[in-house]
Amino acid sequence: MTISVFLSFGVACKRGEGQAAASPTTAAPPPPATKTAPPTPLAEKKAELGSDNNWNPDWDKVVETAIPPEMLSRQVPRDVRRFCPRFYQMTELDKRAFWAYFFQALAGAEAGMNPTTNVKHTEAETDVVDSVTHQKVHSEGLLQLTYEDQQRYGCNFDWETDRHLPPHDAQRTILNPENNLRCGINILSNQIMTLHKPLVTSTSYWSTLQPGTVSYRVFAKQMTNPPAACGLRRTAAPAHSAAKAAEVAAKE
């Protein structure tokens, strides 16, 4: 009797262990819904000219799915309203589309939307040695980033692999549009959410987001056709006038 009870208990234990091991794991949440952002003026112009280097709609999805929840909240600095007046009233879907448009404009001003752009700057503040490559800093890809950003912002760049490839090879991890855009989102999130700085500030990572610079004026020209949900009033004013108005707003 004792042996029979012991064996029965052992079988029950094994069944319990098997059931526990077979318990279903928590399913990953589905990716957020996305929508195609409208083209920037530069994208429209490139489309007219049949340029090969233009914004790929797939990059909208990359941006929209990578945007962290806090960049969809009221914690976003209020100067976002200069480019998207109704930002705080929009749905999350439209906010994600706005950020896709924003990074399209940023990529237009930074790299002309060419994902394999590689530029060595000669300005004193940027003519320094990259701590990862141990070479003079090059700004690379859609958002003109560096290998140092891998360490600073947790970006998916691999210098040990890339060093063996030609400078403009699309296979380089830093030139991969998804890697580059996701890194840019990390950088911007650090600026506006972690450091609580405005969207446009003299201390931005990008001179493109520093008011008063030439590249900022280029960026502002691209921010004149955001998603309709933004409620930005469109006028027939020349593009340079719109850029000037945005620049003045940035100083308020």
Side-chain angles (χ1 to χ4, degrees):
M1 176 66 71
T2 303
I3 294 174
S4 176
V5 171
F6 177 80
L7 291 175
S8 297
F9 179 74
V11 171
C13 285
K14 288 182 179 180
R15 283 177 182 166
E17 290 172 357
Q19 290 170 354
S23 297
T25 57
T26 303
T34 61
K35 65 190 295 186
T36 302
T40 57
L42 178 60
E44 289 182 332
K45 188 66 176 176
K46 286 197 161 197
E48 291 174 7
L49 298 175
S51 173
D52 292 331
N53 291 320
N54 203 351
W55 185 258
N56 186 330
D58 288 343
W59 300 342
D60 288 337
K61 296 179 182 178
V62 170
V63 173
E64 292 178 47
T65 56
I67 290 294
E70 56 268 24
M71 287 180 66
L72 305 174
S73 71
R74 295 194 67 86
Q75 298 176 48
V76 173
R78 63 184 181 180
D79 66 334
V80 70
R81 293 179 298 182
R82 75 187 56 172
F83 304 119
C84 187
R86 297 191 68 256
F87 180 85
Y88 299 124
Q89 290 76 47
M90 297 194 309
T91 65
E92 287 196 0
L93 179 62
D94 286 323
K95 287 177 181 177
R96 291 182 188 278
F98 164 75
W99 286 120
Y101 182 87
F102 178 94
F103 279 97
Q104 180 189 156
L106 190 60
E110 285 288 329
M113 298 182 183
N114 182 353
T116 59
T117 296
N118 177 311
V119 178
K120 178 181 178 298
H121 296 283
T122 57
E123 297 86 351
E125 62 271 19
T126 54
D127 187 20
V128 295
V129 174
D130 188 303
S131 62
V132 173
T133 67
H134 303 296
Q135 300 175 2
K136 288 296 181 70
V137 167
H138 283 69
S139 298
E140 312 200 42
L142 285 171
L143 301 179
Q144 294 293 277
L145 308 180
T146 73
Y147 283 96
E148 288 183 322
D149 297 327
Q150 168 192 343
Q151 299 176 334
R152 295 171 178 168
Y153 304 103
C155 303
N156 190 22
F157 303 155
D158 185 351
W159 168 243
E160 291 307 313
T161 296
D162 292 355
R163 63 187 300 187
H164 302 294
L165 299 172
H168 299 281
D169 193 319
Q171 297 302 312
R172 288 166 69 102
T173 58
I174 197 170
L175 300 182
N176 176 282
E178 180 171 353
N179 290 347
N180 209 271
L181 289 168
R182 285 180 175 274
C183 183
I185 291 170
N186 290 353
I187 293 171
L188 185 65
S189 178
N190 179 71
Q191 173 184 315
I192 66 175
M193 309 310 304
T194 303
L195 301 179
H196 305 292
K197 293 182 178 181
L199 195 59
V200 175
T201 173
S202 61
T203 58
S204 176
Y205 174 97
W206 295 279
S207 62
T208 299
L209 297 182
Q210 297 174 12
T213 62
V214 173
S215 56
Y216 174 75
R217 289 193 286 272
V218 174
F219 170 75
K221 281 166 113 175
Q222 302 311 308
M223 288 299 293
T224 55
N225 186 41
C230 282
L232 184 68
R233 192 163 148 196
R234 294 177 176 84
T235 67
H240 70 272
S241 297
K244 183 65 177 176
E247 184 177 347
V248 170
K251 298 178 180 179
E252 293 178 350

